[in-house]
Amino acid sequence: MSAIDHYIQAIILQGGAEALEDGSAAIEAHHLLLAIAVHEGTAAHRVLVAAGLGRQVIKEALDREFEHSLNAVGVSLASYDLPKPSRDPKPPKIGASARLALERGFAAATGKKDLRPAHLLLGVLDTEIGTVPRALALAGADRVGLMARARETLPHESW
């Protein structure tokens, strides 16, 4: 397997661990974002960290996004004592938003031999709707600026 194959596998496995942690039956784009944030040694990780977006900050932003989404439909999280999510013993499958993020990331490269971790980050960030852009907005992060910084790393990124 090539370096990018190992990276993709690591991101999907970590994304699966993130999904299990929050009780999700599917790995979604925000799980991939969390996985990218913990996988050190890549330009994608450095772009996130330089913007102050480590795993914990992203996780907190995702929690705020969840609460904000509930509030939008008239449900106050503070009004309920929700139990911790139960963990499904089955491994999570790749969900629609993660699949689209991966496809967008692959499409951002000119071919597999040119595919880099920053392409996967671009795939996760390249959407104006959904959990990831809402969470990043609540965290005060500039999604478009993050994408520009990720693109800037591509000519220089090496394994």
Side-chain angles (χ1 to χ4, degrees), residues 118-159:
H119 289 108
L120 295 186
L121 178 59
L122 284 169
V124 171
L125 297 174
D126 192 16
T127 182
E128 295 182 18
I129 58 170
T131 302
V132 170
R134 287 191 306 264
L136 290 174
L138 289 169
D142 175 12
R143 185 184 58 80
V144 174
L146 286 169
M147 291 174 62
R149 285 190 290 286
R151 280 190 197 96
E152 289 169 5
T153 70
L154 289 171
H156 313 291
E157 187 177 16
S158 65
W159 292 95

Side-chain angles (χ1 to χ4, degrees), residues 12 27 41 53 79 89-90 96 100 113 120 139 142 147:
I12 291 172
I27 302 166
L53 294 169
S79 299
K90 293 179 269 178
L100 285 171
K113 67 180 179 117
L120 295 186
D142 175 12
M147 291 174 62

Side-chain angles (χ1 to χ4, degrees), residues 94-116:
I94 295 184
S97 68
R99 187 173 292 109
L100 285 171
L102 290 169
E103 288 172 4
R104 285 190 301 264
F106 297 159
T110 54
K112 184 178 176 188
K113 67 180 179 117
D114 297 319
L115 188 61
R116 299 288 183 264

